[in-house]
Amino acid sequence: MTSMLSFVLENVPSDWESVSTYNSSYILFDVNVLSREAANIKAMFNSTSLNINTIRRVQNPFQYGRFKLRQEMLNSNSVDTVFHIVHPSDLETALKYTCDYRRYKNSHSSEGENKHPRFYPNVQNAVVNWSSSMINDSCVLVVSKISGNPKTQSDYYVQYVVDFK
């Protein structure tokens, strides 16, 4: 019988690096700035004055597997790309705990009574709600989210971390 992790690792996105063993819940990979993958991410930020420094792909088969199971359970193929902003000191927490803002030490915005983090539908909305100096000192997470209001942390997973100059 194949383990669930083995099954997920056999069905990850095509741009993921091959990894034989995950010693932690996620691994970050620098995205080649000349790749199509980087061009797709950069295009999301074109309408802003932000200068991207690095783009890192988040490979977390545990979150990804939960997301795919949730998607199947809901019978939903409708997925949105949304954005979540974190302070660099909270990045590890965000990646390890699926953007659980209640664990952040340096949250710049009050998430209120929401059970889920604040997701912006596009980078422009994030920039409008954050000052440019705060954005430049933050990380923007590019997140895949099942369309609609999230019900569980399995409704989204972090795809990329974008840092600025």
Side-chain angles (χ1 to χ4, degrees):
M1 179 178 218
T2 305
S3 75
M4 181 64 99
L5 180 58
S6 297
F7 180 78
V8 170
L9 290 175
E10 291 170 7
N11 295 284
V12 297
S14 61
D15 52 6
W16 278 26
E17 304 288 329
S18 180
V19 176
S20 58
T21 305
Y22 281 84
N23 295 325
S24 64
S25 60
Y26 67 89
I27 300 174
L28 292 174
F29 288 92
D30 288 336
V31 175
N32 180 336
V33 295
L34 301 176
S35 69
R36 173 167 286 164
E37 184 180 13
N40 290 340
I41 300 304
K42 287 177 184 178
M44 295 178 197
F45 292 82
N46 277 349
S47 62
T48 69
S49 61
L50 300 171
N51 293 315
I52 294 175
N53 186 37
T54 59
I55 300 171
R56 294 174 283 170
R57 182 184 332 102
V58 179
Q59 290 189 195
N60 186 330
F62 308 100
Q63 282 183 10
Y64 180 75
R66 289 189 337 227
F67 176 80
K68 295 309 278 184
L69 284 170
R70 178 77 171 151
Q71 215 179 0
E72 186 172 315
M73 186 184 95
L74 295 173
N75 196 23
S76 174
N77 289 323
S78 182
V79 175
D80 299 323
T81 298
V82 296
F83 304 88
H84 178 63
I85 303 169
V86 297
H87 189 274
S89 65
D90 289 321
L91 179 60
E92 184 176 336
T93 300
L95 297 178
K96 185 175 180 180
Y97 297 106
T98 321
C99 302
D100 186 349
Y101 68 90
R102 297 168 296 183
R103 296 174 181 261
Y104 296 171
K105 294 181 176 95
N106 291 299
S107 183
H108 290 295
S109 66
S110 76
E111 305 288 344
E113 297 300 316
N114 293 331
K115 291 181 181 177
H116 302 286
R118 175 169 293 151
F119 292 126
Y120 296 98
N122 55 54
V123 176
Q124 296 81 359
N125 283 11
V127 171
V128 166
N129 286 293
W130 287 59
S131 73
S132 58
S133 65
M134 286 172 53
I135 286 281
N136 283 329
D137 293 334
S138 300
C139 302
V140 173
L141 306 182
V142 179
V143 179
S144 282
K145 181 182 79 62
I146 296 171
S147 296
N149 291 327
K151 305 268 187 286
T152 73
Q153 284 186 324
S154 297
D155 287 358
Y156 44 88
Y157 78 99
V158 180
Q159 288 186 290
Y160 297 96
V161 177
V162 179
D163 301 295
F164 305 99
K165 295 179 184 174

